[in-house]
Amino acid sequence: MANYSICGIDCDVCKFKAEQNCKGCNENEGKIFWGKCELYYCNDRKEREHCGKCPQFPCDMLKEWASKENPERIDNLRKLSV
């Protein structure tokens, strides 16, 4: 089973796992090697399991992030939400 972040990235295959020794946003409570994750904190405020459970899914912020890196994250979240 995949190890998905709240925004749908599969942390087990993410390049940053090896490059930056990143353990993912769930384990780091949104404090990733590059700073605080806005998506994580938005999700946490709404008390959702992941972004796919949000009524605004997929929101503009998630779409923007997916357009830059890991575009599969939205499809991953759709699979998790069924």
Side-chain angles (χ1 to χ4, degrees):
M1 173 141 188
N3 176 21
Y4 291 117
S5 67
I6 58 97
C7 68
I9 291 174
D10 183 349
C11 293
D12 289 338
V13 297
C14 181
K15 68 180 181 178
F16 297 117
K17 181 176 183 175
E19 287 178 12
Q20 300 293 328
N21 194 32
C22 181
K23 296 186 181 0
C25 65
N26 291 322
E27 190 165 326
N28 293 317
E29 296 179 341
K31 298 173 190 92
I32 309 304
F33 64 94
W34 48 261
K36 288 184 173 184
C37 177
E38 294 173 65
L39 286 168
Y40 179 89
Y41 288 104
C42 177
N43 197 66
D44 190 52
R45 279 191 308 275
K46 294 176 181 178
E47 299 179 342
R48 304 281 181 206
E49 182 181 351
H50 54 73
C51 293
K53 301 277 186 177
C54 182
Q56 286 86 33
F57 172 78
C59 70
D60 290 340
M61 183 169 38
L62 181 62
K63 288 179 194 174
E64 180 182 343
W65 287 38
S67 71
K68 294 177 184 175
E69 283 232 20
N70 305 94
E72 74 283 356
R73 69 175 83 201
I74 292 175
D75 288 335
N76 291 342
L77 289 167
R78 283 192 176 108
K79 291 175 199 169
L80 287 174
S81 297
V82 271

